[in-house]
Amino acid sequence: MLDLFPEAEKPIEIVPARKLVAKVAALYVAPSDHFETRPADALRLGFDGISGDFHAGATRRSGGREPWYPRGTEMRNERQLSVVAADELAIVAERMGLAEIKPEWIGANLLIEGVPHLSMLPAGTLLFFKDGVTIKVDAQNGPCRLAGRSIAEHAGMADVEAGALLFPKSAKRLRGLVAWVEKPGTIKAGEEISVRVPEQWIYQS
């Protein structure tokens, strides 16, 4: 019988909940037929996500990220929003030999500044926007070849397919986060964010 909670041989470190302060650096929205986004002054969020956005909806169809379901299975949409940080994108661009990677090339909706290691925020982190919106982090956004191909094309890379393959390797743990709307409303560029990181526990090595 598998013991899901064996007596710990190593000490467990409890990392207490903490709060960070951040800011909305830029906002983006995608047309309904394509994942790439374009700049916006504000995002109007409902429980379905951004109205009219490519990733809007209370549910979505499963894909390669959910191998435990047959492809196309209807499931809850926890990927309504894509959140990225400029400092992390700069690292990825350097690794790929590029001058820059623009958030809209990879379908980002929110560019956030002020949070170190944004992509490492754990699931369950809450982002409270000053004007009332709350979004909840589901997970890291795993880099894929589709976004890599978009980068390669926009950046004018000589070998687009090589660029598509390079992005997942270069952007591991730097691709940002996916999140869903917990409390709807409107987000504006420049708005302050209170970030609540939940308590975590880890085994010490």
Side-chain angles (χ1 to χ4, degrees):
M1 179 177 177
L2 177 63
D3 186 354
L4 296 179
F5 300 98
E7 186 174 345
E9 296 179 359
K10 300 177 180 179
I12 297 174
E13 179 185 359
I14 303 298
V15 180
R18 61 195 190 279
K19 291 184 179 180
L20 305 169
V21 177
K23 188 175 76 171
V24 178
L27 298 168
Y28 308 88
V29 64
S32 60
D33 61 347
H34 200 278
F35 82 95
E36 292 181 20
T37 50
R38 56 176 180 260
D41 294 326
L43 297 181
R44 293 170 180 82
L45 305 181
F47 288 115
D48 289 352
I50 305 168
S51 178
D53 186 84
F54 182 77
H55 288 105
T59 64
R60 65 180 180 88
R61 299 291 178 177
S62 64
R65 300 178 189 273
E66 297 84 29
W68 44 88
Y69 296 133
R71 187 177 288 269
T73 299
E74 188 175 18
M75 58 177 286
R76 179 176 295 281
N77 183 12
E78 78 298 343
R79 300 178 61 86
Q80 294 174 341
L81 299 161
S82 169
V83 186
V84 299
D87 58 336
E88 293 185 333
L89 292 184
I91 294 171
V92 180
E94 183 179 6
R95 289 178 178 178
M96 294 182 68
L98 303 175
E100 65 174 345
I101 293 176
K102 292 187 177 181
E104 52 264 50
W105 295 353
I106 57 174
N109 299 117
L110 286 93
L111 181 68
I112 288 180
E113 60 183 29
V115 179
H117 310 293
L118 176 79
S119 294
M120 301 305 290
L121 290 179
T125 296
L126 290 165
L127 279 68
F128 298 96
F129 294 80
K130 188 175 182 180
D131 288 344
V133 170
T134 306
I135 67 173
K136 194 167 192 174
V137 171
D138 178 74
Q140 281 190 19
N141 194 0
C144 66
R145 292 173 61 183
L146 182 64
R149 185 172 293 108
S150 173
I151 291 169
E153 290 174 348
H154 282 286
M157 295 181 72
D159 190 333
V160 171
E161 288 307 310
L165 291 170
L166 182 59
F167 176 65
K169 298 176 184 177
S170 303
K172 188 174 183 180
R173 299 190 181 92
L174 293 168
R175 172 66 170 86
L177 306 161
V178 288
W180 49 274
V181 178
E182 180 164 277
K183 183 172 177 287
T186 300
I187 297 173
K188 298 176 183 177
E191 192 170 341
E192 185 177 290
I193 311 166
S194 176
V195 181
R196 185 187 185 279
V197 184
E199 181 181 275
Q200 303 163 70
W201 57 271
I202 57 173
Y203 284 115
Q204 294 179 321
S205 56

